[in-house]
Amino acid sequence: MDNTILKVSHLKTYFFTRRGVVKAVDDVNFELIRGECLCLVGESGCGKTVTALSILGLIDSPPGRIVDGQISYNGLDLAKCSPKQLRQIRGNDIAIVFQEAQSALNPVLTIGDQIVEQIKLHLPMEHSEARERAMTLLNEMGIPSVERVMSYYPHQLSGGMKQRALIAMSLSCDPKILIADEPTTAVDVTIKAQILDIFRELKAKRQMSLLFITHDLAVVAEIGDRAVIMYGGKDVETAPVSEIIGEPKHPYTAGLIECLPDLSKTADRLASIPGTTPNPSEMPQGCAFHPRCPKVMGICSQHEPPEIVISREHRISCHLYK
Ligand code: SF4
C-alpha cells in the first residue's frame, strides 16, 4: 500500500516583481509518508517557507504564483484547487504553526477566544463544547493552570507558552498533516527541548505526519525521520536523517554539518559556509551552489546537475555523483 500522504512534484513558485522574476521555489520534489517527520532544511532564502505556503495555498498573488508542478493530497492537486477548497483543507486537513508566535496570535483576543474561534470555524460545536476542547488541547501542550491561561492575552504569556498555545490552535481540528515553520527559532534552549518533546509526542500519540521546517541540523537530528536539504529553491539531497547526518553526500549538506557546534571542542568561532545564499532573482548558472562549493568542477557553472538516485531512499543533485 502506498503510504504517501502528500506528494510535491516539480513545484515551481515564482514571484513576478518589477525587478524581475524571483524563482523562490524552482522544481522541488518530495513525498511525506504517513506518520513520519520530514524536515525541510536549508539557510534562510532557500525556499522552505514558500514551499509550505504553496502547499497551503497561501502565496500572495500577485506577485506570487505557482507556475508549475503538482501537490497531491487525498486525490486532489492542491496547486489547482479553488480558494474555497483550499480554505476547507487548511486547518481541517493540513495546519501550520508559524515561526513568530507573537505575530501569529491576535493581540486583542484572549488565548481562549482565539482557540475557540478556530474550533468553531471548522467544527459544528457549541461554545461550551469548543471551550472544553480548547482547554484539553492546552493541557495536552503541557500548559499549567489552563483555565487562567484561557483568559490571558498573548502579551501576558512567555515566548514558549505562546508557541505552545499556537500549536494547540493548529491542532484544533485534528489535522492529518502539521507543518511547523521554524517553531524553535525564537525560543531559548529549555523551551526548545520542551517544544521538540511536544512534536515527538504528537507524532507518537496521534500518528501525525509532520513537515518540519528548520535551518538547524541539530533539531533535524533530534526530531526528523527523513530530511530534504534545499538550496536555491531546489531540493538538493533527500535521505533518512541518519544518512544525512552520518554520511552527507552533497557538499552543501556536508557544509551545514560542519557548521554544527562540536561541544567536545572549545572553538573561538562557529564554522560557517563561505559566501552567502544567492539572490533568487539572480541565480548563478549551473549548480546554484557552485560559487560556494569546495568541490566545484568546470561543469558545475555550466550545467544544472541532474537528480541521481543513490539508493531507494537517497537522492542527490550534484555532478560529483554522475
Ligand atoms: Fe559542488 Fe558541483 Fe556538486 Fe554543485 S554540482 S554541489 S558545485 S560539486
Side-chain angles (χ1 to χ4, degrees), residues 250-252 287 289-290 293 295-297 300 305 317-320:
H250 197 283
Y252 178 57
C287 169
F289 188 56
H290 84 259
C293 181
K295 299 199 169 168
V296 64
M297 303 174 288
C300 302
S317 297
C318 173
H319 288 301
L320 284 175

Side-chain angles (χ1 to χ4, degrees), residues 19-320:
R19 298 180 66 188
V21 180
V22 177
K23 298 179 177 178
V25 171
D26 196 20
D27 200 1
V28 164
N29 299 276
F30 61 84
E31 312 83 38
L32 177 64
I33 309 294
R34 256 170 244 281
E36 80 164 343
C37 175
L38 178 70
C39 297
L40 286 190
V41 192
E43 295 161 291
S44 57
C46 70
K48 307 174 301 255
T49 298
V50 176
T51 301
L53 296 177
S54 303
I55 293 169
L56 290 157
L58 289 174
I59 296 294
D60 276 339
S61 180
R65 184 155 50 87
I66 295 178
V67 296
D68 203 1
Q70 291 93 43
I71 304 168
S72 311
Y73 170 74
N74 213 10
L76 293 169
D77 179 0
L78 303 186
K80 302 201 170 53
C81 280
S82 67
K84 190 176 170 206
Q85 278 175 306
L86 286 167
R87 262 198 306 277
Q88 277 169 350
I89 287 165
R90 272 198 305 270
N92 274 335
D93 290 63
I94 308 177
I96 185 163
V97 179
F98 286 107
Q99 176 177 10
E100 280 292 330
Q102 180 64 42
S103 46
L105 291 165
N106 186 334
V108 297
L109 285 180
T110 63
I111 295 296
D113 283 348
Q114 295 189 53
I115 303 179
V116 168
E117 192 181 300
Q118 181 75 8
I119 294 170
K120 286 169 67 183
L121 194 68
H122 294 279
L123 299 174
M125 277 189 185
E126 293 297 324
H127 186 83
S128 57
E129 204 185 343
R131 197 177 150 76
E132 200 58 42
R133 181 169 171 74
M135 289 202 282
T136 308
L137 286 167
L138 286 174
N139 218 354
E140 207 182 314
M141 293 305 112
I143 291 185
S145 316
V146 163
E147 203 137 350
R148 191 142 38 99
V149 169
M150 289 277 286
S151 65
Y152 283 175
Y153 290 89
H155 74 270
Q156 293 174 287
L157 298 181
S158 66
M161 292 272 264
K162 276 199 273 271
Q163 193 58 273
R164 288 186 221 194
L166 206 58
I167 300 172
M169 203 180 302
S170 69
L171 295 176
S172 48
C173 303
D174 273 334
K176 316 270 180 309
I177 298 172
L178 186 60
I179 301 176
D181 187 3
E182 302 266 14
T184 57
T185 297
V187 294
D188 67 37
V189 279
T190 319
I191 304 299
K192 178 170 159 181
Q194 290 170 6
I195 288 176
L196 288 179
D197 276 344
I198 289 174
F199 280 106
R200 262 192 291 265
E201 253 179 58
L202 287 176
K203 197 163 92 67
K205 278 196 195 157
R206 295 179 173 229
Q207 305 287 299
M208 193 168 261
S209 311
L210 293 176
L211 187 60
F212 203 98
I213 296 173
T214 180
H215 65 280
D216 185 347
L217 271 172
V219 167
V220 175
E222 284 206 42
I223 190 140
D225 295 307
R226 293 188 308 125
V228 178
I229 308 294
M230 290 187 64
Y231 191 82
K234 297 180 191 294
D235 54 301
V236 296
E237 183 165 11
T238 302
V241 166
S242 55
E243 289 180 32
I244 290 280
I245 304 286
E247 291 173 65
K249 299 276 191 254
H250 197 283
Y252 178 57
T253 314
L256 289 176
I257 304 243
E258 272 164 32
C259 297
L260 283 173
D262 183 348
L263 297 179
S264 64
K265 293 181 191 154
T266 40
D268 289 342
R269 297 186 57 183
L270 279 177
S272 62
I273 302 175
T276 52
T277 47
N279 178 341
S281 60
E282 291 162 12
M283 228 24 112
Q285 205 191 324
C287 169
F289 188 56
H290 84 259
R292 305 172 75 189
C293 181
K295 299 199 169 168
V296 64
M297 303 174 288
I299 189 176
C300 302
S301 57
Q302 302 301 316
H303 299 287
E304 214 177 281
E307 186 183 88
I308 313 281
V309 176
I310 289 186
S311 69
R312 200 170 59 86
E313 289 198 284
H314 202 151
R315 332 188 274 262
I316 183 174
S317 297
C318 173
H319 288 301
L320 284 175

